[in-house]
Amino acid sequence: MSQSDLFSAASREVNPAARTPAERAADRAAELRQLLNHHAHLYYVLDAPELPDAEYDRLFQELQAIEAAHPELLTPDSPTQRVIGQVLAGFTPVRHAVPMLSIRTETDTEASGATAFDERVRKQLELSEEVAPVEYAAELKFDGLAINLRYEQGVLVQAATRGDGETGEDVTQNIRTIGQIPLRLHGVEAPVIEVRGEVYMRRDDFEALNERQREAGDKTFVNPRNAAAGAVRQLDPAIAAKRPLSFYAYGLGDVQGWDVPATHSELLDALQAMSMPVCEHRVVTAGAAGLVEFHRAMGAQRDGLPFDIDGVVYKVNSRVLQQRLGFVSREPRWAVAHKYPAQEQLTRLNAIEIQVGRTGKLTPVAKLEPVFVGGTTVSNATLHNVFELRRKGVRVGDTVIVRRAGDVIPEVVGKLAAERPAYVPNFHMPRSCPVCGSATVRERGGMDYRCSGGLSCPAQVKQAMLHFAGRRAMDIEGLGDKLVDQLVDGGIVLSLPGLYKLGVAKLAALERMAEKSAQNIVDALEKSKTTTLARFLFALGIRQVGETTAKDLARHFGALDRLMDASVEQLLEVRDVGPIVAQSIHTFFAQPHNREAVEQLRAAGVHWPEGEGAAAEQGPKPLLGKTLVLTGTLPTLSRDAAKELIEAAGGKVSGSVSKKTHYVIAGEEAGSKLDKARELGVTVLDEAGLQALIQTEG
């Protein structure tokens, strides 16, 4: 090497900016490989992720771009060339007869992801636009843990995780604890059928699990996927059995002695016929336009699903065409995952403030650098309580992971394991209420601090009203934070019954409230008077009474007066009601001011259908075995209220119309579901027809 070459090399060591673009690309590729391998190990192997999926995807795509621009940097062990994961110590390795590969991911949130996939498929199949469009099967991308189930002669003999795609972990005993997974296939006794699918955890099960963890003082889980993966990979099956897991099948591995259907959609139908759980949210469609519509439709329904999805999956439906397209590197050419906006993102924690709830509970709230997560911009997130905050080690100035999924309040689920720029003291709960100045108290043996001011505290009155007006309670559209602030701060409304005394003139006089807006609020209040007993009970804000308990109480007692007069012993007869909940309900209705508020609400016109209660439950239900679909806006019933009426009558509410649908209940602005019902000849009813059906059917 010449003197000039040596000088040049030395100058690049001292000054990184002097390095050539190729050298900088090589450095960055090496750095990305190390980062991705580290975070993949945390995610796939230890089930302890430190990085949101969106950030991992961004780093992964950056490495892909570098390797595409500099093919000489591509290495066999690059994360882009293999499925990342490994077998944990303590588990028996399982060699997959057919590798469990990943699929390509499109991360744009618009239609171009579907369009780009269709263009690639047609190009590889050498099909011009003039030829008939390609038929696709579109389904959901579950956020769980991939599992391979091996059946021999129709009997489940082994269950294994994906692992590194070639070798996974034997988790058979843990998988046997999942009730949805059949131990014997129905009607099939082939020598070998390997069914592949996703183990996941429903959102309500996840929230209940984390609540139990908090009450026990144990570590909470970051998200449902992490909780499900941790349960499956327990060495003790007894622990796995205590975790509420679910499963959906979506494909095959090794098959011997069974004729695989000609299309992917027919395969899913066949798996369903074998008693395998298969998600109903799937369609067969033609061309890019159909994929775009499925992506849009499921994006609109995403928050209402009972489980997490992070996107949808498109697959060429024909198995013959799948074989023609083949594979590239670590992924099939005939399938792609099209993601939605990330439900976890990184941002900075700027401050911690205290929020006072409707029951006086003081909750630490993170004030964040605004970040787009879960389809909206988030600047506040709950930290639950000071003990949870301590466990997560979160302090002001940290880079934190924020999660928002569905209707769940955004929360800080963790922080990046990086040193803080400077010392920051621990956060401490205040000794007095930041709203009314009353002393704060911590319940004996509990984790929550509460304001002792009761309804003399404006914050508690406001939160009680917002809860009462919530979508799953009385569903009073338009009664939001700013309006409630004006009503309470101005002394206009200081109790729940007072809401129904509001008139157009009084509302129109408020700031930023025109006469039309005021009329809309009055109309919403009037509409809310028609409700269900379960929704009314939930709306009252009784401590320890959530939606599920409210439904159980309504189902058991049938009428409000019977519930209000019930003893603690009678309340304990209700399903899943324990001593603490029973005492809380009894105490609430024993207080004269609560009974007076209930009577005032009834006098204002709030009403609901009542029945005989638990005794009537034993008789036949009018809609038992019937599947109904709701579409459009009904005159007096909200979507949730109509669903509750149907379920109380024994019926099932589905999100899509099929040949198995018995009735479609249509309101104003009914969309494609109404068209589908007419196409299939399904009976269509309006709200009055639904009420009549419940009274006369059966």
Coordinates of all heavy atoms in Angstrom, one line a residue, residues 149-222:
L149 N -49.2 -28.1 14.1 CA -49.9 -29.2 14.8 C -49.8 -30.5 13.9 O -50.3 -30.5 12.7 CB -51.4 -28.9 15.0 CG -51.7 -27.6 15.7 CD1 -53.2 -27.4 15.8 CD2 -51.1 -27.6 17.1
R150 N -49.2 -31.5 14.3 CA -49.1 -32.8 13.6 C -50.1 -33.8 14.0 O -50.1 -34.2 15.2 CB -47.6 -33.3 13.7 CG -47.4 -34.5 12.8 CD -45.9 -35.0 12.9 NE -45.7 -36.2 12.1 CZ -45.3 -36.1 10.8 NH1 -45.1 -35.0 10.2 NH2 -45.0 -37.3 10.2
Y151 N -50.9 -34.2 13.0 CA -51.9 -35.2 13.3 C -51.5 -36.5 12.5 O -51.2 -36.4 11.3 CB -53.3 -34.8 12.8 CG -53.9 -33.7 13.7 CD1 -53.6 -32.4 13.5 CD2 -54.8 -34.0 14.7 CE1 -54.1 -31.4 14.3 CE2 -55.3 -33.0 15.5 CZ -55.0 -31.7 15.3 OH -55.5 -30.7 16.1
E152 N -51.5 -37.6 13.2 CA -51.3 -38.9 12.5 C -52.5 -39.8 12.7 O -52.9 -40.0 13.9 CB -50.0 -39.6 13.1 CG -48.7 -38.8 12.8 CD -47.5 -39.4 13.4 OE1 -47.6 -40.5 14.0 OE2 -46.4 -38.8 13.2
Q153 N -53.0 -40.3 11.6 CA -54.3 -41.1 11.7 C -55.4 -40.3 12.4 O -56.3 -40.8 13.0 CB -54.1 -42.4 12.4 CG -52.9 -43.3 11.9 CD -53.1 -43.6 10.4 OE1 -54.2 -43.8 9.9 NE2 -51.9 -43.7 9.7
G154 N -55.3 -38.9 12.2 CA -56.4 -38.0 12.7 C -56.2 -37.6 14.1 O -56.9 -36.8 14.7
V155 N -55.1 -38.1 14.8 CA -54.9 -37.8 16.2 C -53.7 -36.9 16.4 O -52.7 -37.1 15.8 CB -54.6 -39.2 17.0 CG1 -54.3 -38.9 18.5 CG2 -55.8 -40.1 16.9
L156 N -53.9 -35.9 17.3 CA -52.8 -34.9 17.5 C -51.7 -35.6 18.3 O -51.8 -36.2 19.4 CB -53.3 -33.8 18.4 CG -52.3 -32.7 18.8 CD1 -51.7 -32.0 17.6 CD2 -52.9 -31.7 19.8
V157 N -50.5 -35.6 17.7 CA -49.3 -36.3 18.3 C -48.2 -35.4 18.6 O -47.4 -35.7 19.5 CB -48.8 -37.4 17.3 CG1 -49.8 -38.5 17.1 CG2 -48.3 -36.8 16.0
Q158 N -48.2 -34.2 18.0 CA -47.1 -33.2 18.3 C -47.6 -31.8 17.9 O -48.3 -31.6 17.0 CB -45.9 -33.6 17.5 CG -44.6 -32.8 17.9 CD -43.5 -33.3 17.0 OE1 -43.4 -32.9 15.8 NE2 -42.6 -34.0 17.5
A159 N -47.1 -30.8 18.7 CA -47.2 -29.4 18.4 C -45.9 -28.8 18.6 O -45.2 -29.0 19.6 CB -48.3 -28.8 19.3
A160 N -45.5 -27.9 17.6 CA -44.2 -27.3 17.6 C -44.3 -25.8 17.2 O -45.1 -25.5 16.4 CB -43.2 -28.0 16.7
T161 N -43.4 -25.0 17.8 CA -43.3 -23.6 17.5 C -42.5 -23.5 16.1 O -41.9 -24.4 15.7 CB -42.6 -22.8 18.5 OG1 -41.2 -23.3 18.7 CG2 -43.3 -22.9 19.9
R162 N -42.6 -22.3 15.6 CA -41.8 -22.0 14.3 C -40.3 -22.2 14.5 O -39.6 -22.7 13.7 CB -42.2 -20.6 13.8 CG -41.5 -20.3 12.5 CD -41.4 -18.8 12.3 NE -42.8 -18.2 12.2 CZ -43.5 -18.1 11.1 NH1 -43.1 -18.5 10.0 NH2 -44.7 -17.5 11.2
G163 N -39.8 -21.6 15.6 CA -38.4 -21.6 15.9 C -37.6 -20.8 14.8 O -38.0 -19.7 14.5
D164 N -36.6 -21.4 14.2 CA -35.9 -20.7 13.1 C -36.4 -21.0 11.7 O -35.8 -20.7 10.7 CB -34.4 -21.0 13.2 CG -34.1 -22.5 13.0 OD1 -35.0 -23.3 12.7 OD2 -32.9 -22.9 13.0
G165 N -37.6 -21.7 11.7 CA -38.2 -22.1 10.4 C -37.9 -23.5 10.0 O -38.7 -24.1 9.4
E166 N -36.7 -23.9 10.4 CA -36.3 -25.3 10.2 C -36.5 -26.2 11.4 O -36.9 -27.3 11.3 CB -34.8 -25.3 9.8 CG -34.5 -24.6 8.5 CD -34.9 -25.2 7.3 OE1 -35.2 -26.5 7.3 OE2 -35.0 -24.6 6.2
T167 N -36.2 -25.7 12.6 CA -36.3 -26.4 13.8 C -37.1 -25.6 14.9 O -36.7 -24.4 15.1 CB -35.0 -26.8 14.4 OG1 -34.2 -27.5 13.4 CG2 -35.1 -27.6 15.6
G168 N -38.1 -26.2 15.4 CA -38.9 -25.5 16.5 C -38.8 -26.2 17.8 O -38.0 -27.1 18.0
E169 N -39.7 -25.9 18.7 CA -39.8 -26.5 20.0 C -41.0 -27.3 20.2 O -42.1 -27.0 19.7 CB -39.8 -25.3 21.1 CG -38.7 -24.4 21.0 CD -39.1 -23.0 21.5 OE1 -40.3 -22.6 21.4 OE2 -38.2 -22.2 21.8
D170 N -40.9 -28.5 20.9 CA -42.0 -29.3 21.1 C -42.8 -28.7 22.3 O -42.3 -28.7 23.5 CB -41.5 -30.7 21.5 CG -42.6 -31.7 21.6 OD1 -43.8 -31.3 22.0 OD2 -42.4 -32.9 21.3
V171 N -44.0 -28.3 22.0 CA -44.9 -27.7 23.1 C -46.2 -28.4 23.1 O -47.2 -27.8 23.4 CB -45.1 -26.1 22.8 CG1 -43.8 -25.3 23.0 CG2 -45.6 -25.9 21.4
T172 N -46.2 -29.7 22.8 CA -47.4 -30.5 22.7 C -48.3 -30.4 24.0 O -49.5 -30.2 23.9 CB -47.1 -32.0 22.4 OG1 -46.2 -32.0 21.3 CG2 -48.3 -32.7 22.1
Q173 N -47.7 -30.6 25.1 CA -48.5 -30.6 26.4 C -49.1 -29.3 26.6 O -50.3 -29.2 27.1 CB -47.6 -31.0 27.6 CG -47.0 -32.4 27.5 CD -48.1 -33.5 27.2 OE1 -49.1 -33.5 27.9 NE2 -47.8 -34.3 26.2
N174 N -48.5 -28.2 26.3 CA -49.1 -26.9 26.5 C -50.2 -26.6 25.5 O -51.2 -26.1 25.9 CB -48.0 -25.8 26.4 CG -47.0 -25.8 27.5 OD1 -47.2 -26.4 28.5 ND2 -45.9 -25.1 27.3
I175 N -50.0 -27.0 24.3 CA -51.0 -26.8 23.3 C -52.3 -27.7 23.6 O -53.4 -27.3 23.3 CB -50.5 -27.2 21.9 CG1 -49.4 -26.2 21.5 CG2 -51.6 -27.3 20.8 CD1 -49.9 -24.8 21.4
R176 N -52.1 -28.8 24.2 CA -53.3 -29.6 24.6 C -54.2 -28.9 25.6 O -55.3 -29.3 25.7 CB -52.8 -31.0 25.2 CG -52.2 -32.0 24.2 CD -51.7 -33.2 24.9 NE -51.2 -34.2 23.9 CZ -51.9 -35.1 23.3 NH1 -53.2 -35.1 23.5 NH2 -51.3 -35.9 22.4
T177 N -53.7 -27.9 26.3 CA -54.5 -27.2 27.2 C -55.5 -26.2 26.5 O -56.3 -25.6 27.2 CB -53.7 -26.4 28.2 OG1 -53.0 -25.3 27.6 CG2 -52.7 -27.3 28.9
I178 N -55.3 -26.0 25.2 CA -56.2 -25.0 24.5 C -57.4 -25.7 24.0 O -57.3 -26.6 23.1 CB -55.4 -24.4 23.3 CG1 -54.1 -23.7 23.8 CG2 -56.3 -23.4 22.6 CD1 -53.2 -23.1 22.7
G179 N -58.5 -25.4 24.6 CA -59.8 -26.2 24.3 C -60.2 -26.1 22.8 O -60.9 -27.0 22.3
Q180 N -59.8 -25.0 22.1 CA -60.3 -24.9 20.7 C -59.6 -25.9 19.8 O -60.1 -26.2 18.7 CB -60.0 -23.5 20.2 CG -60.9 -22.4 20.7 CD -60.6 -21.1 20.1 OE1 -59.4 -20.7 20.2 NE2 -61.6 -20.4 19.6
I181 N -58.4 -26.4 20.2 CA -57.7 -27.3 19.3 C -58.1 -28.7 19.5 O -58.0 -29.3 20.6 CB -56.2 -27.2 19.6 CG1 -55.7 -25.7 19.2 CG2 -55.4 -28.2 18.8 CD1 -54.2 -25.5 19.5
P182 N -58.7 -29.3 18.4 CA -59.2 -30.7 18.5 C -58.0 -31.7 18.7 O -57.0 -31.6 18.1 CB -59.9 -31.0 17.2 CG -59.2 -30.0 16.2 CD -58.8 -28.8 17.0
L183 N -58.2 -32.6 19.6 CA -57.2 -33.7 19.8 C -57.3 -34.8 18.8 O -56.4 -35.5 18.5 CB -57.4 -34.3 21.2 CG -57.2 -33.3 22.4 CD1 -57.4 -34.1 23.7 CD2 -55.9 -32.6 22.3
R184 N -58.5 -34.8 18.1 CA -58.7 -35.7 17.0 C -59.5 -34.9 15.9 O -60.5 -34.3 16.2 CB -59.5 -36.9 17.4 CG -59.9 -37.9 16.2 CD -60.7 -39.1 16.7 NE -59.9 -40.0 17.4 CZ -59.2 -41.0 16.8 NH1 -59.2 -41.1 15.4 NH2 -58.5 -41.9 17.5
L185 N -59.0 -35.0 14.7 CA -59.7 -34.4 13.5 C -61.0 -35.1 13.2 O -61.1 -36.3 13.3 CB -58.8 -34.4 12.3 CG -57.5 -33.6 12.4 CD1 -56.7 -33.8 11.1 CD2 -57.7 -32.1 12.7
H186 N -62.0 -34.3 12.9 CA -63.3 -34.8 12.6 C -63.3 -35.4 11.2 O -63.1 -34.6 10.2 CB -64.4 -33.8 12.8 CG -65.8 -34.2 12.4 ND1 -66.5 -35.1 13.1 CD2 -66.5 -33.9 11.3 CE1 -67.6 -35.3 12.6 NE2 -67.7 -34.6 11.5
G187 N -63.6 -36.6 11.0 CA -63.9 -37.2 9.7 C -62.6 -37.4 8.8 O -62.7 -37.8 7.6
V188 N -61.4 -37.3 9.4 CA -60.2 -37.5 8.6 C -59.2 -38.3 9.4 O -58.9 -38.0 10.5 CB -59.5 -36.1 8.3 CG1 -58.2 -36.3 7.5 CG2 -60.5 -35.2 7.4
E189 N -58.7 -39.4 8.8 CA -57.7 -40.2 9.4 C -56.5 -40.5 8.5 O -56.0 -41.6 8.4 CB -58.4 -41.6 9.8 CG -59.5 -41.4 10.8 CD -60.1 -42.7 11.3 OE1 -59.6 -43.8 10.8 OE2 -61.0 -42.7 12.1
A190 N -56.1 -39.5 7.8 CA -54.9 -39.6 7.0 C -53.7 -39.9 7.8 O -53.6 -39.6 8.9 CB -54.7 -38.3 6.2
P191 N -52.7 -40.6 7.1 CA -51.4 -40.9 7.8 C -50.8 -39.7 8.5 O -50.4 -39.7 9.7 CB -50.5 -41.5 6.7 CG -51.5 -42.1 5.8 CD -52.7 -41.1 5.8
V192 N -50.7 -38.5 7.8 CA -50.2 -37.3 8.3 C -50.9 -36.1 7.7 O -51.0 -36.0 6.5 CB -48.6 -37.2 8.0 CG1 -48.1 -35.8 8.5 CG2 -47.9 -38.3 8.6
I193 N -51.3 -35.2 8.6 CA -51.7 -33.9 8.3 C -51.2 -32.9 9.3 O -51.5 -33.0 10.5 CB -53.3 -33.7 8.2 CG1 -53.9 -34.6 7.1 CG2 -53.7 -32.3 8.0 CD1 -55.4 -34.5 7.0
E194 N -50.4 -32.0 8.8 CA -49.9 -30.9 9.7 C -50.7 -29.6 9.4 O -50.6 -29.1 8.3 CB -48.4 -30.7 9.5 CG -47.5 -31.8 10.0 CD -46.0 -31.5 9.9 OE1 -45.6 -30.5 9.2 OE2 -45.2 -32.3 10.5
V195 N -51.3 -29.2 10.5 CA -52.1 -27.9 10.4 C -51.3 -26.8 11.0 O -50.8 -26.9 12.1 CB -53.5 -28.1 11.1 CG1 -54.3 -26.8 11.1 CG2 -54.3 -29.3 10.5
R196 N -51.3 -25.7 10.3 CA -50.5 -24.5 10.8 C -51.5 -23.4 11.1 O -52.5 -23.2 10.4 CB -49.5 -24.1 9.8 CG -48.3 -25.1 9.8 CD -47.2 -24.8 8.9 NE -46.2 -25.8 9.0 CZ -45.1 -26.0 8.3 NH1 -44.9 -25.1 7.3 NH2 -44.2 -26.9 8.5
G197 N -51.2 -22.7 12.2 CA -52.0 -21.6 12.6 C -51.4 -20.8 13.7 O -50.2 -20.8 13.9
E198 N -52.2 -19.9 14.3 CA -51.7 -18.9 15.2 C -52.4 -19.1 16.6 O -53.6 -19.2 16.7 CB -52.0 -17.5 14.7 CG -51.2 -16.4 15.3 CD -49.9 -16.2 14.5 OE1 -49.7 -16.9 13.6 OE2 -49.2 -15.2 14.9
V199 N -51.6 -19.2 17.6 CA -52.1 -19.2 19.0 C -52.1 -17.7 19.4 O -51.1 -17.0 19.2 CB -51.2 -20.0 20.0 CG1 -51.6 -19.7 21.4 CG2 -51.3 -21.5 19.7
Y200 N -53.2 -17.2 19.9 CA -53.3 -15.8 20.3 C -54.1 -15.7 21.6 O -54.6 -16.7 22.1 CB -54.0 -15.0 19.2 CG -55.4 -15.4 18.9 CD1 -56.5 -14.7 19.5 CD2 -55.8 -16.5 18.1 CE1 -57.8 -15.0 19.3 CE2 -57.1 -16.8 18.0 CZ -58.1 -16.1 18.6 OH -59.4 -16.4 18.4
M201 N -54.2 -14.5 22.1 CA -55.0 -14.2 23.3 C -56.0 -13.1 23.0 O -55.6 -12.0 22.4 CB -54.1 -13.8 24.4 CG -54.8 -13.7 25.8 SD -53.6 -13.4 27.2 CE -52.8 -15.0 27.3
R202 N -57.2 -13.3 23.3 CA -58.2 -12.2 23.1 C -57.9 -11.0 24.0 O -57.3 -11.1 25.0 CB -59.6 -12.8 23.5 CG -60.2 -13.8 22.5 CD -61.4 -14.4 23.1 NE -62.4 -13.4 23.5 CZ -63.4 -13.0 22.7 NH1 -63.6 -13.6 21.5 NH2 -64.3 -12.1 23.1
R203 N -58.4 -9.9 23.5 CA -58.1 -8.6 24.3 C -58.7 -8.7 25.7 O -58.1 -8.3 26.7 CB -58.7 -7.4 23.5 CG -57.9 -7.1 22.3 CD -58.6 -6.0 21.5 NE -57.9 -5.6 20.3 CZ -58.4 -5.0 19.3 NH1 -59.7 -4.6 19.3 NH2 -57.7 -4.7 18.2
D204 N -60.0 -9.1 25.8 CA -60.6 -9.2 27.1 C -59.9 -10.2 28.1 O -59.7 -9.9 29.3 CB -62.1 -9.5 27.0 CG -62.4 -10.7 26.3 OD1 -61.5 -11.4 25.7 OD2 -63.6 -11.1 26.2
D205 N -59.4 -11.3 27.5 CA -58.7 -12.2 28.3 C -57.3 -11.7 28.7 O -56.9 -11.9 29.8 CB -58.4 -13.5 27.5 CG -59.7 -14.4 27.3 OD1 -60.6 -14.2 28.2 OD2 -59.8 -15.1 26.4
F206 N -56.7 -10.9 27.8 CA -55.4 -10.3 28.1 C -55.6 -9.3 29.3 O -54.8 -9.2 30.2 CB -54.9 -9.6 26.9 CG -53.6 -8.8 27.1 CD1 -52.4 -9.4 27.4 CD2 -53.7 -7.4 27.0 CE1 -51.3 -8.6 27.6 CE2 -52.6 -6.6 27.3 CZ -51.4 -7.2 27.5
E207 N -56.6 -8.4 29.2 CA -56.8 -7.4 30.2 C -57.1 -8.0 31.5 O -56.6 -7.6 32.6 CB -58.0 -6.5 29.8 CG -57.7 -5.6 28.6 CD -56.5 -4.7 28.8 OE1 -56.3 -4.2 29.9 OE2 -55.7 -4.4 27.8
A208 N -57.9 -9.1 31.5 CA -58.2 -9.8 32.8 C -56.9 -10.4 33.4 O -56.7 -10.4 34.6 CB -59.3 -10.9 32.5
L209 N -56.1 -11.0 32.5 CA -54.9 -11.6 32.9 C -53.9 -10.6 33.6 O -53.4 -10.8 34.7 CB -54.1 -12.3 31.8 CG -52.7 -12.9 32.0 CD1 -52.8 -14.0 33.1 CD2 -52.1 -13.4 30.7
N210 N -53.8 -9.5 32.9 CA -52.9 -8.4 33.5 C -53.4 -7.9 34.8 O -52.7 -7.5 35.7 CB -52.7 -7.3 32.5 CG -51.4 -7.4 31.7 OD1 -50.6 -8.3 32.0 ND2 -51.2 -6.5 30.7
E211 N -54.8 -7.8 34.9 CA -55.4 -7.3 36.1 C -55.1 -8.3 37.3 O -54.7 -7.9 38.4 CB -56.9 -7.1 36.0 CG -57.6 -6.4 37.1 CD -57.0 -5.0 37.4 OE1 -56.7 -4.3 36.4 OE2 -56.9 -4.7 38.6
R212 N -55.1 -9.6 37.0 CA -54.8 -10.6 38.0 C -53.3 -10.5 38.4 O -53.0 -10.6 39.5 CB -55.1 -12.0 37.5 CG -56.6 -12.3 37.3 CD -56.9 -13.8 37.2 NE -56.3 -14.3 36.0 CZ -56.9 -14.4 34.8 NH1 -58.1 -13.8 34.7 NH2 -56.3 -14.9 33.8
Q213 N -52.5 -10.2 37.4 CA -51.0 -10.1 37.6 C -50.8 -8.9 38.5 O -50.0 -9.0 39.5 CB -50.3 -9.9 36.3 CG -50.3 -11.1 35.4 CD -49.5 -12.3 35.9 OE1 -50.0 -13.3 36.3 NE2 -48.2 -12.2 35.9
R214 N -51.5 -7.8 38.3 CA -51.3 -6.6 39.1 C -51.7 -6.8 40.5 O -51.1 -6.4 41.5 CB -52.1 -5.4 38.5 CG -51.5 -4.9 37.2 CD -52.2 -3.6 36.8 NE -51.9 -3.2 35.4 CZ -52.7 -3.5 34.4 NH1 -53.9 -4.0 34.6 NH2 -52.4 -3.2 33.1
E215 N -52.9 -7.5 40.7 CA -53.4 -7.7 42.0 C -52.5 -8.6 42.8 O -52.4 -8.5 44.0 CB -54.8 -8.3 41.9 CG -55.9 -7.4 41.4 CD -57.2 -8.1 41.2 OE1 -57.3 -9.3 41.4 OE2 -58.2 -7.4 40.8
A216 N -51.8 -9.5 42.1 CA -50.9 -10.4 42.8 C -49.5 -9.8 42.9 O -48.7 -10.5 43.6 CB -50.8 -11.8 42.0
G217 N -49.3 -8.6 42.4 CA -48.0 -8.0 42.5 C -47.0 -8.6 41.6 O -45.8 -8.4 41.8
D218 N -47.5 -9.3 40.5 CA -46.6 -9.9 39.6 C -46.4 -9.0 38.3 O -47.1 -8.1 38.1 CB -47.1 -11.3 39.1 CG -47.2 -12.3 40.3 OD1 -46.4 -12.2 41.2 OD2 -48.1 -13.2 40.2
K219 N -45.4 -9.4 37.5 CA -45.1 -8.7 36.3 C -46.3 -8.8 35.3 O -46.9 -9.8 35.1 CB -43.9 -9.3 35.7 CG -43.5 -8.6 34.3 CD -42.3 -9.4 33.7 CE -42.0 -8.8 32.3 NZ -40.9 -9.6 31.7
T220 N -46.6 -7.6 34.7 CA -47.7 -7.6 33.7 C -47.0 -7.8 32.3 O -45.8 -7.7 32.1 CB -48.4 -6.3 33.7 OG1 -47.5 -5.2 33.5 CG2 -49.2 -6.1 35.0
F221 N -47.9 -8.2 31.4 CA -47.4 -8.5 30.0 C -47.5 -7.2 29.1 O -48.4 -6.4 29.3 CB -48.2 -9.6 29.4 CG -48.0 -10.9 30.2 CD1 -48.9 -11.3 31.2 CD2 -46.9 -11.7 29.9 CE1 -48.7 -12.5 31.8 CE2 -46.7 -12.9 30.6 CZ -47.6 -13.3 31.6
V222 N -46.6 -7.1 28.2 CA -46.5 -6.0 27.3 C -47.7 -5.9 26.4 O -48.4 -4.9 26.2 CB -45.2 -5.9 26.5 CG1 -45.2 -4.8 25.5 CG2 -44.0 -5.8 27.4

